[in-house]
Amino acid sequence: MSALACLRVVVRSDQSAYSEAALGLLVAKFTAAFLEVRWSWPRKFSLINPYAFLLNDPRAAELDTAELGRLSAELHDHLFGVAEAGGSDVTVLLYEGEDSAMAQFADLDEAQLLQAMTDPAAAPPGGRLSQITPDGRRLQLPPVETETTDAAVGQTGAGAARGMDRLPNVEAVQGVYYSAREIFVADVVASTPAESRAHYSLVDGDDHLPADPAAFDADCVIAAFRFLAESRSNTPLYLPISFSTILRPSRRAAYAAVLSILPASERRRLAAAVYDVPRAPSFHALRQLHEVLDATFSAIDLRTHDPAFEIDQLHAEAVSSVTLVLPHAEPERRLLVLKRFIGKMEAYKRRRIWPGVTNVRTRRELETALEAKMPFVTGPGVCRPQNEALGGRAWRTDQLPVMPLVETRRPLPA
């Protein structure tokens, strides 16, 4: 038992500012990166041409299209910006049939595909053509005129719930505060699935970290496009990178594919926030990090829970910064951990590596960090999730934390 289908991405090229060659390259890179995350093993995919992919699920008689639903909306946002309600210049099609028929379908040009969507005779014979909707449903193409209202429109119960699950992620940023100048100098990106009960954040502690780091990191890559376009300054955006996941040989190629969709021209504005780093990362591990990340990011921040992080084992300027994540613990314990880290600031200075602290929650913790001249501080006691980047904005310390400045496009989970 094995399900096979040809996935086709139809893009309205007349609406794009890209050249035909550039558009094809972007669609291929983005779709491959999307499938690396969503189309999980043992399911497989392979590139046929920039707009067509062969999908395979060896465990099923028919492909499950639930994960494919978000592709059209996310690819539209990447190529054209956020779509108006109900509108998109990207369509995702699925053709199931014999190998030869799928090969013919993969070779259809844009005009032929549009005709096949309305004329049964225009599609290769011996197969089934359908459109994947943003909520993951299949719509038969061409539409069957005798479909009942219940089948075509009036889905309720589990079907309606599945449609709600396909809502776009809630994207947010939280500012990185530079205490010496009382200014936000960067932002940390987060992306929370609509169905999550709590918002995801790299700076709000472990209870706000995702269960699936690879999917979270990939979603933040997508979110970065909006903040790059909308930011009022050229200050950096920090994107989360899971240390343990990216160092797995089986996942490293997937990360590279996801990161490759980020524009090389924006490298100076992109920084990597590598989280869950152990006390003493090996030289080999750091070299692998640089091999994967240097082409995309201009700075690398290591985030650790251990105040005794072995900074003296790192070469000078081995990374841009090291950030301590305050633990989920009693207030006095948190302060002891913070002060222990503060005690090693001279070692960071010798290595020419900036220290920082995150998950700052209380005024007392903030004041302790500021009195010690800790350069960078983040967390809910500094800046709550924002819908707009704060980088470049001056902000007095007595006015922290920053509450949401504007309404989010959808309310963040608590």
Side-chain angles (χ1 to χ4, degrees):
M1 178 175 64
S2 181
L4 285 169
C6 177
L7 177 77
R8 279 296 303 259
V9 179
V10 186
V11 179
R12 290 184 57 190
S13 56
D14 60 313
Q15 299 297 313
S16 172
Y18 299 102
S19 67
E20 184 175 346
L23 182 63
L25 181 62
L26 285 170
V27 171
K29 281 188 173 184
F30 187 96
T31 307
F34 181 94
L35 292 172
E36 284 282 3
V37 174
R38 305 275 196 248
W39 198 249
S40 56
W41 189 90
R43 296 178 296 184
K44 301 177 182 178
F45 71 92
S46 57
L47 176 71
I48 302 175
N49 62 52
Y51 297 93
F53 290 78
L54 182 65
L55 304 184
N56 169 236
D57 187 345
R59 305 168 302 178
E62 182 176 85
L63 295 183
D64 182 355
T65 59
E67 294 96 334
L68 302 176
R70 290 178 177 169
L71 177 57
S72 61
E74 292 187 5
L75 184 55
H76 181 283
D77 290 354
H78 173 56
L79 294 175
F80 305 105
V82 178
E84 297 180 1
S88 178
D89 294 315
V90 177
T91 302
V92 176
L93 302 178
L94 203 65
Y95 184 85
E96 298 156 284
E98 298 295 328
D99 290 353
S100 58
M102 287 193 291
Q104 294 177 43
F105 179 74
D107 288 336
L108 296 180
D109 61 27
E110 183 179 338
Q112 292 170 324
L113 282 171
L114 294 176
Q115 185 178 0
M117 293 169 66
T118 58
D119 180 4
R128 178 176 63 159
L129 177 62
S130 54
Q131 178 181 346
I132 308 304
T133 66
D135 61 7
R137 292 180 297 120
R138 297 168 182 255
L139 294 181
Q140 182 178 338
L141 294 177
V144 178
E145 296 179 358
T146 58
E147 286 183 323
T148 64
T149 301
D150 287 342
V153 180
Q155 291 200 350
T156 59
R162 186 170 64 249
M164 292 178 65
D165 287 344
R166 299 279 80 82
L167 286 171
N169 286 12
V170 181
E171 300 169 349
V173 286
Q174 287 172 268
V176 178
Y177 191 68
Y178 182 44
S179 60
R181 293 177 50 203
E182 295 191 314
I183 189 172
F184 285 99
V185 293
D187 291 272
V188 183
V189 177
S191 182
T192 304
E195 62 270 21
S196 176
R197 294 186 177 182
H199 74 273
Y200 290 165
S201 169
L202 208 58
V203 306
D204 283 3
D206 290 350
D207 50 339
H208 289 281
L209 287 179
D212 186 346
F216 171 64
D217 296 354
D219 285 340
C220 289
V221 168
I222 305 304
F225 282 96
R226 175 167 76 86
F227 294 113
L228 285 170
E230 296 179 358
S231 177
R232 300 179 182 180
S233 72
N234 290 321
T235 54
L237 288 175
Y238 279 87
L239 272 61
I241 301 290
S242 168
F243 179 85
S244 59
T245 308
I246 197 172
L247 291 185
R248 294 178 194 165
S250 61
R251 297 302 304 162
R252 202 172 303 137
Y255 263 85
V258 171
L259 296 177
S260 70
I261 69 174
L262 290 165
S265 60
E266 298 288 3
R267 180 180 178 275
R268 63 185 175 81
R269 297 180 60 194
L270 294 170
V274 183
Y275 57 102
D276 285 339
V277 177
R279 173 188 286 194
S282 68
F283 172 79
H284 179 65
L286 291 178
R287 185 178 66 183
Q288 289 182 321
L289 276 182
H290 280 285
E291 288 174 353
V292 179
L293 302 179
D294 280 354
T296 304
F297 300 107
S298 60
I300 295 177
D301 172 56
L302 303 182
R303 298 186 167 232
T304 180
H305 289 75
D306 197 327
F309 181 84
E310 295 188 3
I311 183 64
D312 288 323
Q313 302 302 312
L314 270 59
H315 294 298
E317 300 180 346
V319 292
S320 304
S321 55
V322 172
T323 298
L324 173 70
V325 182
L326 291 180
H328 181 68
E330 295 298 320
E332 293 306 318
R333 170 65 180 163
R334 289 168 58 89
L335 280 173
L336 285 174
V337 170
L338 173 57
K339 290 176 181 178
R340 188 177 178 190
F341 185 69
I342 287 171
K344 300 193 70 174
M345 286 178 61
E346 282 300 316
Y348 285 87
K349 187 176 181 180
R350 288 194 301 270
R351 287 291 184 265
R352 298 193 295 277
I353 294 173
W354 291 100
V357 62
T358 193
N359 192 27
V360 172
R361 291 184 170 272
T362 67
R363 191 71 197 180
R364 188 179 177 191
E365 292 170 358
L366 177 60
E367 289 175 350
T368 299
L370 296 178
E371 288 171 5
K373 301 188 185 305
M374 178 66 64
F376 301 109
V377 289
T378 50
V382 177
C383 179
R384 304 290 172 83
Q386 307 288 318
N387 193 42
E388 294 181 356
L390 282 184
R393 300 193 195 189
W395 211 277
R396 286 167 38 189
T397 57
D398 61 359
Q399 294 179 336
L400 296 175
V402 181
M403 305 303 288
L405 298 178
V406 295
E407 290 292 329
T408 56
R409 299 185 182 190
R410 286 192 294 113
L412 277 167

